[in-house]
Amino acid sequence: MESNQLLQIAQEFGSPVYVYDAEKIAHQYQRLTNAFAKVERLRINYAVKALSNVSILKLFKEMGSGLDTVSIQEVLLGLHAGFAPENIIYTPNGVSLDEIEEVAALGVQVNIDNLSILEQFGAKHPQTPVCIRINPHVMAGGNSNISVGHIDSKFGISIHQLPHILRIVENTGMHINGIHMHTGSDILDIEVFLYAAEILFDTAKHFKELDFIDFGSGFKVPYKKGDIETDVEELGKKLTKRFLAFEKEYGRELTLAFEPGKFLVSEAGYFLAKVNVVKQTTSTVFAGIDTGFNHLIRPMFYGSEHYIENISHPKGKERFYSVVGYICETDTFATNRRITEIKEGDILCFRNAGAYCFSMSSNYNSRYKPAEVLWKDGKAHLIRKRETFEDLLHNQIEIGS
Ligand SMILES: *Cc1c(COP(=O)(O)O)cnc(C)c1O
């Protein structure tokens, strides 16, 4: 999006505000589907937790996407947005059997990631098709080493426990219709991902009635120029070849599924905040903005470095700033970052603000959550109002005098 369009949105809807570019989301979706165009049955299930506004979910529905959910509440949001239950997969971790049963009763595909629940669910509902989340113990590190780490990860059923899985399936007579992996780490190296895929293929051979193999996500997106990003086109080429060969060997048509969040929405998001104060200390110039980690926690929580641009004065002379929030705790977005000269009242724009930004926001310091705007067909659509004082009191029960 252009800076002047973003500035106009900040003027019209106030700050701070999240803005999402529908065209960029569609572009990313297309990129992924094009990369796997040779796979007849491809399923992209958008990971709702990245950005769960219902209008965003509806965009994905229009494009033909399914959903990946991790809570029954995300499932309900998806159904509310108009998704058919069979186009939703539910991949929770550490939730109760009750919730899993409730979701399965809605007709949603359940994905189970521990032996205890697998056995209990299988015994009670042998007819309900279940997907199994495997932990292949492969992680994509900063280099091309394949580390068999995460042996103690809480996610998935260890590949080493395959004999236990098979015993449970046999004893309960349950129907396994999919297998799944999601290592969670950024895919820097396609070869590592393909190596994990081989483990999944080997596992798949033990199940005779699979409908799909789900390769999860972990696609890395660039945060700034020169950053490494997952080469989805290359991955598409190599994995398609292997998948089609495996399908033949398996002797049954299979769906290839992915469930990206970040890849689809990260770069489509912009977070706009106003500079309240420029404060010069002995060694640093702080730009204090009208937001904090209550609205954008990633820099504090994960150390993510969002590119920041002064869209009010994009052509000024560059200076070094530490951009900080208004929360009464250390609340740093950027340290000694080169930004064009900032004046109080300027609007700063954070990039890569689509994934895990609004969805992780809170009311800490009793601040209102920001508004969300969807830029679609050349128009700004408000898709969430800024909160008000009533929202802060909503659900509170006042006792005493
Ligand atoms: C969070 C999550 C995803 C999405 O991961 P991204 O890195 O945002 O693409 C996919 N699958 C599962 C099971 C997840 O928990």
Side-chain angles (χ1 to χ4, degrees):
M1 287 184 68
E2 306 288 334
S3 294
N4 59 338
Q5 293 165 340
L6 291 166
L7 262 183
Q8 244 168 29
I9 288 171
Q11 266 152 22
E12 185 176 348
F13 300 97
S15 71
V17 59
Y18 278 101
V19 184
Y20 312 116
D21 180 0
E23 212 171 293
K24 179 66 180 173
I25 293 174
H27 173 79
Q28 291 296 93
Y29 185 81
Q30 285 306 326
R31 248 186 91 188
L32 203 53
T33 48
N34 289 346
F36 289 89
K38 293 214 174 85
V39 175
E40 205 158 310
R41 301 204 299 169
L42 177 72
R43 190 87 216 144
I44 309 291
N45 294 319
Y46 165 61
V48 173
K49 75 178 187 289
L51 174 60
S52 52
N53 188 295
V54 174
S55 296
I56 299 292
L57 302 187
K58 286 182 174 173
L59 268 189
F60 279 104
K61 187 174 166 287
E62 278 171 34
M63 295 188 294
S65 174
L67 295 182
D68 176 67
T69 57
V70 294
S71 70
I72 188 167
Q73 289 78 12
E74 286 186 353
V75 170
L76 296 176
L77 281 175
L79 294 173
H80 178 86
F83 284 85
E86 57 268 28
N87 291 331
I88 304 177
I89 181 165
Y90 169 67
T91 305
N93 175 260
V95 312
S96 67
L97 178 63
D98 285 351
E99 183 173 312
I100 293 174
E101 288 179 313
E102 226 177 302
V103 169
L106 293 168
V108 166
Q109 172 73 50
V110 162
N111 189 1
I112 293 180
D113 93 328
N114 67 83
L115 291 171
S116 168
I117 296 278
L118 184 71
E119 186 160 30
Q120 293 175 64
F121 190 90
K124 282 176 82 174
H125 312 279
Q127 309 298 332
T128 308
V130 164
C131 174
I132 295 177
R133 177 173 186 174
I134 301 288
N135 184 346
H137 301 303
V138 172
M139 39 179 216
N143 54 38
S144 60
N145 290 339
I146 295 166
S147 44
V148 186
H150 271 319
I151 205 82
D152 286 326
S153 160
K154 71 164 186 159
F155 298 103
I157 303 176
S158 168
I159 186 64
H160 305 305
Q161 291 175 317
L162 182 59
H164 302 254
I165 299 175
L166 295 174
R167 208 175 310 137
I168 289 170
V169 171
E170 196 184 312
N171 287 346
T172 57
M174 68 191 299
H175 174 194
I176 303 302
N177 69 337
I179 56 166
H180 166 278
M181 70 172 190
H182 171 68
T183 55
S185 46
D186 286 337
I187 303 174
L188 292 172
D189 190 330
I190 287 170
E191 299 306 323
V192 178
F193 186 84
L194 292 170
Y195 176 81
E198 290 304 326
I199 295 176
L200 214 52
F201 289 137
D202 279 343
T203 309
K205 289 177 198 157
H206 294 274
F207 303 92
K208 299 293 167 230
E209 297 182 315
L210 294 183
D211 295 321
F212 66 95
I213 300 182
D214 189 329
F215 294 93
S217 181
F219 301 101
K220 191 172 168 57
V221 299
Y223 265 58
K224 54 182 186 300
K225 282 191 192 77
D227 267 4
I228 306 172
E229 71 177 300
T230 305
D231 188 343
V232 296
E233 287 74 20
E234 183 72 14
L235 180 66
K237 245 184 254 161
K238 290 187 168 164
L239 185 58
T240 297
K241 198 162 157 236
R242 265 307 283 137
F243 182 79
L244 296 180
F246 177 76
E247 206 179 19
K248 235 184 219 145
E249 187 188 337
Y250 188 71
R252 190 181 149 109
E253 278 202 333
L254 288 167
T255 295
L256 190 168
F258 279 115
E259 47 193 36
K262 205 186 284 176
F263 178 81
L264 294 171
V265 296
S266 175
E267 294 163 277
Y270 302 83
F271 184 48
L272 309 179
K274 191 171 76 190
V275 178
N276 282 334
V277 62
V278 176
K279 181 173 182 175
Q280 168 92 58
T281 65
T282 43
S283 60
T284 305
V285 188
F286 289 102
I289 56 180
D290 66 349
T291 182
F293 71 64
N294 51 332
H295 296 156
L296 177 60
I297 202 170
R298 293 179 58 74
M300 294 291 292
F301 201 36
Y302 301 111
S304 64
E305 294 186 3
H306 294 257
Y307 183 79
I308 301 172
E309 196 182 356
N310 178 2
I311 57 172
S312 296
H313 292 101
K315 300 240 155 67
K317 186 172 161 17
E318 285 188 344
R319 297 186 180 282
F320 287 97
Y321 294 94
S322 287
V323 179
V324 293
Y326 60 16
I327 291 294
C328 294
E329 259 179 72
T330 302
D331 191 12
T332 307
F333 291 115
T335 306
N336 289 326
R337 193 76 75 77
R338 224 179 238 282
I339 302 173
T340 55
E341 183 159 359
I342 295 174
K343 296 189 172 58
E344 291 174 356
D346 281 357
I347 298 291
L348 301 189
C349 174
F350 289 71
R351 306 295 283 268
N352 287 82
Y356 309 104
C357 291
F358 186 93
S359 64
M360 294 182 98
S361 67
S362 77
N363 289 110
Y364 188 45
N365 279 205
S366 295
R367 295 287 181 179
Y368 307 141
K369 287 194 194 175
E372 291 180 289
V373 168
L374 179 63
W375 178 258
K376 187 168 186 275
D377 304 324
K379 274 208 297 270
H381 305 265
L382 185 65
I383 57 171
R384 186 192 300 268
K385 289 189 277 192
R386 186 178 310 286
E387 285 186 335
T388 63
F389 189 60
E390 282 68 44
D391 294 313
L392 292 185
L393 287 176
H394 187 68
N395 284 339
Q396 295 201 45
I397 295 167
E398 298 183 48
I399 59 166
S401 47

